[in-house]
Amino acid sequence: KFPVSSGEQLRDFCYITDIVEAILSSINNKKAYGEIINIASGSAVTIKELVMMVRNIIGKGEPLFGEIDYRKCENMELYANISKAKKILNWSPKISLQRGLEMTISSTLDWKNKRI
C-alpha cells in the first residue's frame, strides 16, 4: 500500500526515443529556426490513470488515492499542443504511454537483475 493524491492532475508523457527523434528532426530544419515547438505526446492522462497503468504492468501495489493532499498551487493541467511539431518537423510520437511504461519497467528490471 502507498499513499497518493486523488490523481486528478492531467499530465503529458512522451517516450525518450520519440523526444530524441523530434530533436534530430529539428536539426538543419530551416523552418524550425527561431520557433518554439512543443515536444510531447499531445495527449493528457490523469496521474491516477498513470499509477494504475504502472500497477497493472508490475502486478502489485495498492495505491491509496486521496491520502496525500495536492501541493500548494498544484498545476492541475499540464499538457502540450504538438501541432507545430507535426507541421514544421513532420513529427508525432510513435510510442504509446502504455508501451513506453512497459519498455521502461522491463529495462529497469533487466538492469537490476544484471547487477545482482
Side-chain angles (χ1 to χ4, degrees):
K1 295 182 181 184
F2 58 96
V4 291
S5 73
S6 294
E8 297 167 338
Q9 313 93 310
L10 291 173
R11 297 293 185 265
D12 190 333
F13 298 92
C14 192
Y15 196 66
I16 188 65
T17 56
D18 285 330
I19 293 170
V20 170
E21 182 182 307
I23 292 168
L24 292 174
S25 296
S26 70
I27 297 171
N28 297 324
N29 181 334
K30 292 183 181 181
K31 293 178 187 176
Y33 290 176
E35 294 289 336
I36 296 171
I37 302 172
N38 294 325
I39 305 302
S41 72
S43 299
V45 62
T46 65
I47 295 299
K48 185 174 187 174
E49 290 171 302
L50 177 74
V51 168
M52 293 309 296
M53 289 173 92
V54 171
R55 190 243 170 269
N56 291 337
I57 293 167
I58 63 174
K60 54 183 155 179
E62 188 178 330
L64 303 172
F65 292 105
E67 292 290 316
I68 294 177
D69 292 333
Y70 292 120
R71 295 174 290 187
K72 185 178 178 183
C73 300
E74 177 90 36
N75 187 337
M76 295 302 287
E77 295 184 15
L78 187 59
Y79 53 95
N81 176 337
I82 63 169
S83 60
K84 282 175 77 174
K86 289 178 178 181
K87 181 179 178 183
I88 295 172
L89 304 178
N90 194 30
W91 174 90
S92 60
K94 293 179 177 69
I95 307 293
S96 69
L97 176 57
Q98 177 73 32
R99 183 67 185 128
L101 288 171
E102 291 167 354
M103 291 188 304
T104 300
I105 291 166
S106 175
S107 68
T108 301
L109 293 175
D110 289 346
W111 179 79
K112 283 183 176 181
N113 289 334
K114 289 177 185 175
R115 297 198 66 201
I116 292 175

